[in-house]
Amino acid sequence: MVVQYKCPNCGADMAFDSKSGKLTCDSCGREETIGTMPQSNISYQSTDNKNYFKENEANEYKCNNCGASLITDSLTSATRCSFCGAGVVLADRLSGKLAPSLVIPFKISKDQAKEAFKTWCKKGLLTPKGFMNADRITSITGLYVPFWLYDLDCDGEANATCTKVRTYEQGDYIVTETSYFNVYRRVKLEYDRVPQDASEKMDDQLMERLEPYHYHELKDFQMPYLAGFIAEKYSYDDKSLLSKVKQRVSRYVENYIHSTILGYTTTTYTTKNISVAQKKAHYVLLPVWMVCYDYKKAQHTFAMNGQTGKIVGKPPLSFGKILLMFTGISTLSFLIMQLITIIAGGMS
Amino acid sequence: MFAVFAKKHRILLSSFTLFLLILCLIPPSYIKASKEDSKIYDYYQLFEEDEKQDLEETLNQYSDEGEVDIIVITTDDLEGKSKQVYMEDFYDFNALGYDKEFGDTVLLMLYMNPNDRSVEIQGYKSAEHYINNQRIEAILDEIVPFLSNGDYTSAIKKYAELAADYMKREVPAPPKSSPSDNRNPSSSNTVPNYNSNHTNLSNQYETPLLNPLYQLIASFIIGGITVGIMAYNSGGRITTNNRTYLNESNSALVAHHDIYLRTTTKRVQKPKNDDNNIGGGHTGGGTSSGGHSHSGGGRGF
């Protein structure tokens, strides 16, 4: 099932505009609020069951405009027609079990993303000069990445032996007094909407670095948000990713417990019990700009948080700059220490 | 470099005042006496006259043998200086040396203050090379038992014998030093070798924190870590932490206790043969206010 949004004015294809948060027509500039888009202007490929789509009912999709085959892989849920450029949404891949409950729409437009990326390249203190100046973005793609947001109940319990050490001098002796304590902590914690990327194509670490997304801008999912962007459906369901999230949150709980044990010199845990239970998982689409960048014949891929503009990805590093930085910082700290020496020498 | 200058400046100033003070205090006849071939400066009057004669002979004999001025000082009054500085000033003031003024000299001082009885040895000029810090430690190992038993004459004879012996034996090349450090022993006025140079640095500053060498190493570590973190974070930092997704209103510490179990106490005697001055023993040379660098070492007995 292919869905396209036609401009009520001129009939051209409309796309979601990150700036206004509305569907916008590129040809005549008409804006249409997402909730009020007239049904008659939503073009469906098959007209008999407008409001109900079965999951994954078709394997091949055709553009409503030009009839060309849409080149998609099995996970794509929104794309652009590679012939006429119309933004199309594959509705059956967003329905039933595959229907996202929430979405954060793009807030950063393509041009802003390009600009932000260029600024970021220039900011890199260790990146080679050529990388900073060159303007070789080969492609920039707005992508809605499927995520699961988990609500979790955590119960953490820990026993530890802690010590307080006091050292003082007594005559010719150095006395070390070590006091031992049995320390117990139990915490009940609730973690809300912990994200886990559900797309197998995306690098988990890269996605984790993109966080955090600001959840106050989460919207109930509606298909028009995807118009003009690429979207994917999840490749893993919430159950199969739960263990990953549990691992991550267990770490959080451990840190939390540790932060409640204060005032000791050493802490040695004897027992630790942490249980994490899933209360709920929300299927959401989060906006990511993927930037491919050509540098010295190698492709570098960067990801940008489509809401906050945070950029992640490994830029090339310049050996010369690293050396320069290292020398600079070392010299500076040496001078500071020398200064301290003079001050200390002056006082004694 | 500034620090060294400031440090020297301060020492210069204070030692100059002290120098004037000493000039006023010491009778002229003594200055004359010190210029003679006396090896023992027994201000504490530790030795009987005949003992002194005997030692004087022994020291002269070993001095000739080792071609080095082997000097002994006994005192319980440092005139407000540290032991090292007192000896440095002593060397500068008396212009000691075997073949010439400010020449090859090894100094031993018995500090007889009842609160801090200790022995200190310093080597100047070629004695800085031949009687380096390690060898001073070896000499101290030999003589401290005598001193502890109150057998001062035997201790001094042993010291003279070892000093003369060491002057004739080449120092094994210290590890890590370049071949040029293994220089010809006959050139007595050469720059101190790698080893003593290194220890000079470590002794000139009260704490390792003020030592330029350590500071240099520390700055390299700081630089390395900073650049490492920068390189690691060049791909974007993780800005979420264990509080980012925490629902504070539904989270709490629900139970806790801190039960005192026991206290253990460990008493350790303050180190005696340590590198720092607290225990009375130390190793390391320095530079006198007159600009003469030396090796050194001492310990209590």
Side-chain angles (χ1 to χ4, degrees):
Chain A
M1 183 67 50
V2 178
V3 179
Q4 283 169 246
Y5 299 89
K6 297 288 177 194
C7 174
N9 253 7
C10 62
D13 288 286
M14 300 181 89
F16 179 75
D17 178 45
S18 57
K19 210 166 171 187
S20 58
K22 291 175 180 169
L23 280 171
T24 309
C25 173
D26 272 347
S27 311
C28 67
R30 184 181 168 117
E31 292 186 347
E32 204 63 54
T33 318
I34 276 150
T36 60
M37 183 75 187
Q39 281 292 312
S40 57
N41 286 91
I42 304 175
S43 133
Y44 301 95
Q45 200 173 48
S46 77
T47 42
D48 42 359
N49 48 354
K50 271 185 191 175
N51 295 317
Y52 181 72
F53 316 104
K54 286 191 198 128
E55 301 162 24
N56 270 340
E57 66 175 11
N59 288 317
E60 202 188 56
Y61 298 89
K62 282 195 169 27
C63 174
N64 297 352
N65 279 5
C66 61
S69 273
L70 294 171
I71 300 156
T72 70
D73 66 28
S74 61
L75 295 167
T76 309
S77 57
T79 187
R80 275 181 184 273
C81 171
S82 46
F83 287 90
C84 65
V88 294
V89 178
L90 308 180
D92 54 319
R93 289 182 177 175
L94 293 161
S95 309
K97 220 168 55 162
L98 296 171
S101 59
L102 300 162
V103 62
I104 294 179
F106 271 94
K107 268 201 97 176
I108 290 177
S109 70
K110 194 171 195 159
D111 292 336
Q112 283 173 318
K114 267 187 187 166
E115 222 30 67
F117 181 72
K118 278 184 206 161
T119 332
W120 180 77
C121 283
K122 281 181 193 139
K123 252 187 3 194
L125 290 168
L126 301 178
T127 45
K129 228 180 155 111
F131 181 76
M132 287 161 68
N133 300 332
D135 182 15
R136 277 187 238 124
I137 298 173
T138 44
S139 73
I140 177 159
T141 315
L143 198 65
Y144 278 104
V145 178
F147 273 80
W148 289 102
L149 300 186
Y150 291 87
D151 290 351
L152 303 154
D153 264 337
C154 309
D155 195 330
E157 198 180 22
N159 270 300
T161 306
C162 300
T163 63
K164 283 183 188 175
V165 179
R166 196 164 76 93
T167 310
Y168 56 92
E169 288 178 17
Q170 199 178 58
D172 271 347
Y173 290 91
I174 296 166
V175 184
T176 312
E177 241 180 48
T178 313
S179 304
Y180 292 83
F181 294 85
N182 177 330
V183 172
Y184 171 80
R185 295 285 184 271
R186 175 149 190 211
V187 294
K188 278 191 191 289
L189 305 176
E190 194 182 293
Y191 281 92
D192 285 346
R193 299 189 285 203
V194 182
Q196 173 62 47
D197 115 67
S199 161
E200 64 178 0
K201 286 182 198 161
M202 291 297 161
D203 180 38
D204 283 356
Q205 278 182 333
L206 204 66
M207 290 299 119
E208 199 178 327
R209 285 179 179 218
L210 275 181
E211 294 172 28
Y213 282 92
H214 301 309
Y215 292 145
H216 63 269
E217 284 176 319
L218 273 171
K219 302 266 193 300
D220 285 333
F221 176 75
Q222 290 190 62
M223 278 190 275
Y225 286 119
L226 308 191
F229 293 97
I230 310 287
E232 298 232 318
K233 67 186 182 97
Y234 63 78
S235 10
Y236 303 107
D237 65 11
D238 58 329
K239 292 280 172 287
S240 51
L241 290 175
L242 186 61
S243 66
K244 262 189 195 172
V245 176
K246 274 186 175 177
Q247 240 177 33
R248 177 174 174 187
V249 173
S250 296
R251 227 166 51 225
Y252 288 167
V253 177
E254 275 178 43
N255 283 341
Y256 188 97
I257 292 174
H258 197 74
S259 72
T260 64
I261 300 178
L262 297 167
Y264 294 102
T265 318
T266 66
T267 302
T268 317
Y269 290 96
T270 46
T271 58
K272 240 186 220 178
N273 283 316
I274 289 163
S275 65
V276 179
Q278 176 186 344
K279 273 200 307 193
K280 228 176 165 183
H282 314 270
Y283 176 35
V284 301
L285 298 178
L286 300 180
V288 176
W289 282 108
M290 296 300 292
V291 182
C292 283
Y293 191 89
D294 229 3
Y295 178 73
K296 285 197 174 163
K297 288 173 189 163
Q299 278 275 338
H300 295 267
T301 307
F302 300 90
M304 183 191 295
N305 184 317
Q307 183 191 29
T308 63
K310 183 181 178 184
I311 298 170
V312 301
K314 276 272 162 233
L317 296 176
S318 143
F319 180 71
K321 277 203 174 184
I322 287 177
L323 205 69
L324 201 75
M325 208 55 154
F326 170 73
T327 323
I329 293 169
S330 298
T331 314
L332 195 72
S333 35
F334 184 66
L335 286 178
I336 289 170
M337 280 188 261
Q338 286 284 297
L339 205 70
I340 292 168
T341 313
I342 294 172
I343 293 164
M347 286 195 304
S348 65
Chain B
M1 298 101 248
F2 287 116
V4 174
F5 173 72
K7 190 104 188 166
K8 276 201 175 152
H9 197 69
R10 199 158 53 83
I11 292 172
L12 259 168
L13 210 72
S14 57
S15 48
F16 184 68
T17 348
L18 277 167
F19 179 78
L20 287 177
L21 256 165
I22 293 163
L23 263 184
C24 303
L25 287 173
I26 299 170
S29 61
Y30 165 72
I31 296 176
K32 200 164 168 269
S34 72
K35 286 294 169 200
E36 284 165 13
D37 218 12
S38 177
K39 300 292 182 202
I40 295 193
Y41 299 82
D42 189 16
Y43 303 138
Y44 186 70
Q45 294 178 334
L46 187 64
F47 304 110
E48 305 288 326
E49 201 50 47
D50 54 333
E51 277 182 326
K52 206 171 156 184
Q53 283 297 323
D54 176 37
L55 284 174
E56 198 83 58
E57 245 170 66
T58 316
L59 290 173
N60 267 314
Q61 181 199 325
Y62 281 117
S63 288
D64 291 336
E65 197 184 313
E67 295 182 359
V68 62
D69 215 1
I70 302 177
I71 303 292
V72 173
I73 313 160
T74 70
T75 185
D76 62 348
D77 178 17
L78 297 176
E79 295 154 8
K81 299 179 236 187
S82 76
K83 280 170 255 177
Q84 286 90 330
V85 173
Y86 179 88
M87 290 169 77
E88 285 166 4
D89 289 348
F90 191 87
Y91 177 82
D92 287 346
F93 183 69
N94 291 304
L96 298 168
Y98 179 73
D99 45 353
K100 55 173 185 193
E101 291 193 348
F102 301 115
D104 308 336
T105 306
V106 50
L107 282 178
L108 177 143
M109 179 173 76
L110 294 174
Y111 180 52
M112 300 304 290
N113 186 320
N115 297 323
D116 176 25
R117 291 204 318 172
S118 55
V119 56
E120 185 82 24
I121 298 174
Q122 290 182 350
Y124 288 86
K125 292 289 136 73
S126 71
E128 181 182 3
H129 174 72
Y130 285 102
I131 302 175
N132 61 17
N133 297 339
Q134 282 85 353
R135 288 181 163 182
I136 287 174
E137 286 305 304
I139 296 173
L140 288 171
D141 287 341
E142 292 279 331
I143 66 168
V144 165
F146 289 118
L147 293 171
S148 303
N149 292 332
D151 188 356
Y152 301 110
T153 44
S154 302
I156 284 166
K157 282 179 179 169
K158 190 80 198 168
Y159 147 72
E161 181 195 330
L162 289 168
D165 184 46
Y166 279 134
M167 286 305 287
K168 290 179 284 182
R169 280 200 283 145
E170 184 50 89
V171 181
K176 277 188 199 168
S177 71
S178 61
S180 64
D181 286 328
N182 224 341
R183 63 176 58 84
N184 188 349
S186 61
S187 54
S188 57
N189 274 334
T190 46
V191 202
N193 68 2
Y194 169 83
N195 174 45
S196 52
N197 207 358
H198 170 79
T199 44
N200 274 352
L201 280 173
S202 37
N203 197 45
Q204 209 167 347
Y205 299 90
E206 295 86 3
T207 64
L209 290 176
L210 298 180
N211 182 328
L213 193 76
Y214 287 112
Q215 289 185 343
L216 199 67
I217 295 167
S219 0
F220 281 144
I221 293 170
I222 291 172
I225 289 174
T226 317
V227 175
I229 289 171
M230 277 168 68
Y232 181 76
N233 284 335
S234 64
R237 280 183 304 134
I238 290 184
T239 45
T240 55
N241 57 37
N242 60 330
R243 304 264 164 173
T244 311
Y245 300 108
L246 184 70
N247 182 343
E248 304 266 359
S249 55
N250 284 335
S251 301
L253 182 68
V254 290
H256 64 102
H257 67 233
D258 297 64
I259 300 166
Y260 169 76
L261 298 174
R262 64 186 181 276
T263 299
T264 58
T265 310
K266 212 171 80 184
R267 291 163 69 87
V268 184
Q269 195 156 16
K270 284 182 192 169
K272 277 263 154 83
N273 285 329
D274 202 7
D275 267 6
N276 53 38
N277 276 317
I278 300 165
H282 67 95
T283 321
T287 306
S288 77
S289 53
H292 302 284
S293 80
H294 63 84
S295 57
R299 62 181 76 151
F301 61 84

